[in-house]
Amino acid sequence: MNKQLYKNLLDNELKKIKKENRYRIFNEIKKSDSFPLAKKAYKNKFKDILIWCSNDYLGMSRNELSIKRAKDCLDNYGIGSGGTRNISGTHSPLVKLENDLANLHCKQKALVFTSGYVANESTISALTSIFKDSIIFSDEKNHASIISGIKKNKCQKYIFKHNDMIDLENKLSLVDINRPKIIIFESIYSMDGSIGDLAGIVNLSKEYNAFTYVDEVHAVGMYGKTGAGISEKFNLQNDIDIIQGTLAKAFGTIGGYIASDDLVCDAIRSTASGFIFTTSLPPLVAESARASIEYLKSNSELRIKQQENVKFLKNELLKHDIEILKNITHIIPVMIRDAELCNDISKHLLDNYGHYIQPINYPTVKKGEERLRVTPGPFHNKKMMLDLVDSLEKTFRKFNFNKTRINAA
């Protein structure tokens, strides 16, 4: 059998990706108990680095309470869950976790999936199957998992301009009021750090009889009085049909979920293949997630410190004329606007100054919008942040990257 044909196809695809400067480098990281400090593997050695691009936004992966609960659960339950939800995988810690998530979002029920990606893809796919002849209205900057869920059943869709309520209403007005409609959007968009117009979408959904679905993965744990996200912050939890979130970012563990009413969750758990046909989360993960939720509901110190650090770093970057996309969230996009240069700057920062910030290139962002995505947390200090700004300036000078070049681009 001649397999050269397949090897050539694979090789050509990789060459194309590399030529377009979007070949992904996966850095091996050895985390320490002093997050955000870590070590990066260089051949047979490990070098000290400082992580600036983690989605462990509050450092909860090292929270003592969460770790203790996981260890205790490990002794009581072992490692694996033993099966799918239908086949011995519905263990007590998971049931309790779903109850905790429902309470967090003021909903009747919650369902836990193996990841936020699976939660989005599975739930959206199931909804478009249940709501026959449904039509999707999706923000143009929605996450890949949302797009994948929409594509699975090849339903009709409208893509509306980011946060543009006029464009959304114009598109809603084209559809029969009695036809099933689902508006899908995010509360915080991870690459820009912009906040979705939740209130505007809720108002339009009521006027045009639409079902609402919000992705809160970059907000849960950090916004709202108890960390339930932007929908809690704006007091809109009861007005949104499905709230989707993750346990893998601010809560510091792994897994995704949806929270809604009993009827919605019963229908999703009965039809979503990504929920039915995969092994459930291990008990120790469920228990550590419960501990993280409990901790962040009653402790606001980490959120407050994170917000202080974000404000400080944004001010320092602007003070040194480093272009960032302005927003009021914890995500700081440092704009480079060139794929090759973005890769080079990221590598130079890591190899020469120990600052680890992965480059963000196409297709994650549009071509010409390449950036470094910085996410300072509560455990970064002012010395670290000042050193980062200084290292960025030195690196920019090395590559002759300045405001003039930005404007020319």
Side-chain angles (χ1 to χ4, degrees):
M1 181 178 178
N2 182 7
K3 293 188 177 181
Q4 191 59 45
L5 166 67
Y6 306 103
K7 290 181 179 179
N8 289 342
L9 291 171
L10 292 166
D11 187 52
N12 289 339
E13 181 63 21
L14 286 171
K15 284 178 179 176
K16 176 187 174 186
I17 291 171
K18 289 177 180 178
K19 185 178 180 180
E20 294 175 355
N21 290 295
R22 54 190 183 91
Y23 184 74
R24 297 173 188 266
I25 304 296
F26 299 131
N27 290 305
E28 180 185 349
I29 301 297
K30 184 178 181 181
K31 289 187 176 181
S32 72
D33 57 2
S34 299
F35 183 83
L37 297 174
K39 293 180 182 292
K40 180 190 177 298
Y42 283 91
K43 295 183 179 179
N44 296 324
K45 297 180 180 179
F46 281 91
K47 177 182 175 182
D48 291 334
I49 63 168
L50 191 56
I51 299 176
W52 289 100
C53 55
S54 176
N55 284 341
D56 184 9
Y57 292 132
L58 300 177
M60 285 296 293
S61 65
R62 297 301 310 176
N63 180 265
E64 291 182 5
L65 176 64
S66 300
I67 291 172
K68 183 179 185 306
R69 288 273 283 275
K71 287 179 177 178
D72 291 344
C73 192
L74 181 62
D75 291 336
N76 292 328
Y77 284 88
I79 297 174
S81 70
T84 66
R85 293 298 296 267
N86 191 50
I87 306 174
S88 79
T90 302
H91 48 80
S92 292
L94 194 50
V95 173
K96 292 176 182 177
L97 173 59
E98 288 180 333
N99 290 335
D100 289 349
L101 288 166
N103 290 333
L104 176 68
H105 292 290
C106 299
K107 296 294 188 184
Q108 292 176 336
K109 185 75 175 173
L111 298 176
V112 170
F113 297 74
T114 52
S115 73
Y117 192 106
V118 174
N120 267 338
E121 185 181 64
S122 301
T123 303
I124 294 168
S125 175
L127 285 174
T128 57
S129 177
I130 295 167
F131 298 161
K132 303 299 181 186
D133 194 34
S134 59
I135 182 166
I136 298 286
F137 296 82
S138 178
D139 189 289
E140 67 176 338
K141 292 195 174 182
N142 277 343
H143 188 265
S145 57
I146 293 174
I147 296 168
S148 179
I150 294 170
K151 284 181 176 179
K152 285 193 80 173
N153 286 332
K154 299 179 180 178
C155 63
Q156 187 178 350
K157 65 181 182 295
Y158 282 114
I159 309 299
F160 62 91
K161 295 175 184 176
H162 178 54
N163 265 347
D164 189 331
M165 295 303 102
I166 294 175
D167 188 43
L168 174 57
E169 182 166 20
N170 287 340
K171 288 177 168 60
L172 284 166
S173 67
L174 299 174
V175 181
D176 188 304
I177 193 74
N178 294 313
R179 184 177 177 183
K181 297 174 283 295
I182 310 170
I183 306 175
I184 305 177
F185 54 105
E186 299 183 33
S187 63
I188 294 180
Y189 291 83
S190 62
M191 291 300 115
D192 294 351
S194 58
I195 293 180
D197 187 353
L198 275 66
I201 289 174
V202 164
N203 289 336
L204 288 176
S205 73
K206 292 176 180 178
E207 183 176 351
Y208 289 92
N209 191 31
F211 191 90
T212 48
Y213 184 108
V214 65
D215 177 321
E216 286 257 39
V217 298
H218 293 279
V220 289
M222 293 175 289
Y223 298 87
K225 186 177 180 181
T226 65
I230 297 296
S231 55
E232 181 188 35
K233 180 180 175 69
F234 294 154
N235 195 29
L236 292 170
Q237 292 190 99
N238 293 330
D239 295 302
I240 297 172
D241 294 298
I242 293 181
I243 296 173
Q244 182 266 345
T246 185
L247 304 166
K249 294 180 171 60
F251 291 125
T253 59
I254 189 69
Y257 64 88
I258 63 166
S260 189
D261 63 32
D262 285 328
L263 183 61
V264 168
C265 288
D266 197 14
I268 297 302
R269 81 174 190 92
S270 300
T271 58
S273 60
F275 182 84
I276 299 168
F277 297 110
T278 190
T279 302
S280 64
L281 286 186
L284 65 95
V285 172
E287 272 302 302
S288 63
R290 291 187 65 220
S292 294
I293 293 165
E294 176 187 316
Y295 182 89
L296 291 176
K297 281 182 75 172
S298 57
N299 292 276
S300 60
E301 290 86 356
L302 291 178
R303 291 196 286 274
I304 292 170
K305 185 60 179 173
Q306 181 201 41
Q307 291 162 11
E308 290 174 352
N309 285 347
V310 168
K311 183 178 180 181
F312 178 84
L313 182 54
K314 283 180 177 178
N315 287 338
E316 287 300 315
L317 290 166
L318 291 171
K319 192 187 299 182
H320 289 80
D321 209 23
I322 294 174
E323 185 195 11
I324 62 174
L325 289 186
K326 293 183 180 180
N327 59 53
I328 58 171
T329 65
H330 60 285
I331 295 165
I332 307 177
V334 177
M335 302 307 293
I336 307 299
R337 304 184 186 281
D338 179 281
E340 183 177 5
L341 190 59
C342 198
N343 292 337
D344 291 343
I345 288 173
S346 172
K347 187 175 186 304
H348 189 80
L349 281 169
L350 182 60
D351 292 345
N352 293 275
Y353 301 108
H355 291 296
Y356 177 38
I357 316 172
Q358 277 291 86
I360 306 294
N361 294 337
Y362 178 83
T364 307
V365 295
K366 293 179 181 178
K367 292 179 180 179
E369 295 185 8
E370 294 82 4
R371 67 198 64 182
L372 302 176
R373 178 180 177 274
V374 183
T375 54
F379 298 107
H380 291 97
N381 58 43
K382 287 186 177 179
K383 183 178 182 299
M384 294 173 181
M385 290 186 278
L386 291 172
D387 187 67
L388 172 63
V389 175
D390 182 61
S391 299
L392 276 167
E393 283 200 303
K394 290 175 180 174
T395 302
F396 286 178
R397 283 197 296 270
K398 174 179 173 55
F399 290 100
N400 194 29
F401 176 72
N402 52 37
K403 194 170 182 180
T404 302
R405 181 166 178 173
I406 293 171
N407 290 337

